[in-house]
Amino acid sequence: RVLSRADQTFYRGFNFGAFQFTKNDSIFSFGGMGFWHYNNVQTFFDFQTKEWELIKSKGEIPKRIYTTFAGYSKSEGKLFMLEIPDVFVKPTLHPLNFYECDLKTFVWKKKGTVSVDFLNSFEMRYSEAIWVNDLFIIPSITGEIIVDPIKNKTYKYLGLKTSFFIPGFKVFSKGNMIYSYKKDFPEKSNKNYLDSLDIRDLLKQSDEIGPFY
């Protein structure tokens, strides 16, 4: 097999950190940043024109869309995201907005707000949130924080696998199982780390601490 470039676009430098995902046979790229500016441009790749085409979305569209704290739920057909602060302006103390986008209609809806103090209580690590099995998981020294954006519930993990979601490990899922993998360096050491956890056990070993938004 030979890999060949499908698109005919030019580099623009405006979509670093864009949230990119696939739905059915379509590729989407939402938002990103470049030239000291965040954007909320939403596009999909058209295999006929070989160009990225604009999506005309509606509703309460966030000003900034970024890959941090964003996830696509196949079961719900929706995108969930926290509108992160603009790092190019003075830090804000205002609550951050949380959104969902229905990918059938491309209608955005603001679900609520999240307290900055609440997010900062996770040692400022909410920017490292992992999206897996329709859950956001925030690594934390005192116990992972689990956010269910569909049910609007937040949990604190009290189980023993405290290193499962450490940044640098690749976390992926299959069915109800979550896997955590890391290959050690240097590669000649041949040391690989692999662990597994049932998503149902993850929630059973967690305490609910309240709503998220």
Side-chain angles (χ1 to χ4, degrees):
R1 296 184 179 182
V2 178
L3 292 175
S4 59
R5 180 172 175 174
D7 71 294
Q8 297 178 351
T9 56
F10 293 94
Y11 172 71
R12 303 296 185 195
F14 78 101
N15 62 345
F16 292 101
F19 179 60
Q20 297 168 338
F21 61 99
T22 60
K23 178 178 179 289
N24 299 327
D25 294 327
S26 298
I27 306 173
F28 296 88
S29 181
F30 281 23
M33 61 174 287
F35 303 104
W36 304 276
H37 175 73
Y38 289 91
N39 72 76
N40 60 1
V41 176
Q42 301 153 61
T43 59
F44 73 97
F45 185 72
D46 190 319
F47 283 92
Q48 293 184 341
T49 64
K50 299 186 184 301
E51 298 283 355
W52 290 92
E53 304 292 348
L54 187 65
I55 295 172
K56 296 180 180 180
S57 57
K58 298 172 288 185
E60 301 169 291
I61 304 172
K63 295 180 180 178
R64 297 179 298 279
I65 302 176
Y66 201 64
T67 189
T68 297
F69 220 106
Y72 161 54
S73 168
K74 292 182 180 179
S75 61
E76 295 290 314
K78 294 180 179 180
L79 181 155
F80 297 93
M81 61 152 282
L82 181 71
E83 188 177 32
I84 64 170
D86 190 335
V87 298
F88 302 114
V89 300
K90 186 178 179 180
T92 180
L93 297 178
H94 297 294
L96 305 183
N97 296 327
F98 190 79
Y99 295 88
E100 73 172 25
C101 178
D102 189 327
L103 296 175
K104 295 178 182 177
T105 60
F106 292 102
V107 174
W108 285 87
K109 180 180 180 181
K110 179 182 170 182
K111 300 291 288 183
T113 59
V114 184
S115 164
V116 172
D117 289 338
F118 178 63
L119 290 171
N120 288 345
S121 67
F122 310 141
E123 302 103 34
M124 295 291 290
R125 297 180 70 173
Y126 67 89
S127 63
E128 301 170 354
I130 301 165
W131 174 259
V132 60
N133 279 49
D134 290 357
L135 300 172
F136 290 108
I137 300 175
I138 306 171
S140 176
I141 297 173
T142 58
E144 276 67 31
I145 303 299
I146 303 164
V147 176
D148 185 336
I150 300 170
K151 297 181 179 179
N152 189 23
K153 293 183 177 181
T154 308
Y155 305 85
K156 184 171 184 177
Y157 177 60
L158 303 175
L160 300 177
K161 297 192 176 186
T162 55
S163 62
F164 196 88
F165 299 102
I166 289 179
F169 281 66
K170 181 173 178 57
V171 178
F172 57 96
S173 65
K174 184 176 182 181
N176 288 319
M177 297 301 298
I178 307 175
Y179 300 91
S180 178
Y181 171 80
K182 182 179 181 182
K183 186 174 180 62
D184 203 9
F185 291 97
E187 294 185 0
K188 292 182 180 179
S189 67
N190 291 320
K191 290 183 179 179
N192 297 321
Y193 302 90
L194 179 64
D195 201 355
S196 62
L197 179 62
D198 192 308
I199 190 72
R200 293 164 293 191
D201 292 335
L202 176 71
L203 294 174
K204 286 179 182 178
Q205 298 167 16
S206 303
D207 281 351
E208 184 176 344
I209 58 177
F212 182 64
Y213 50 80

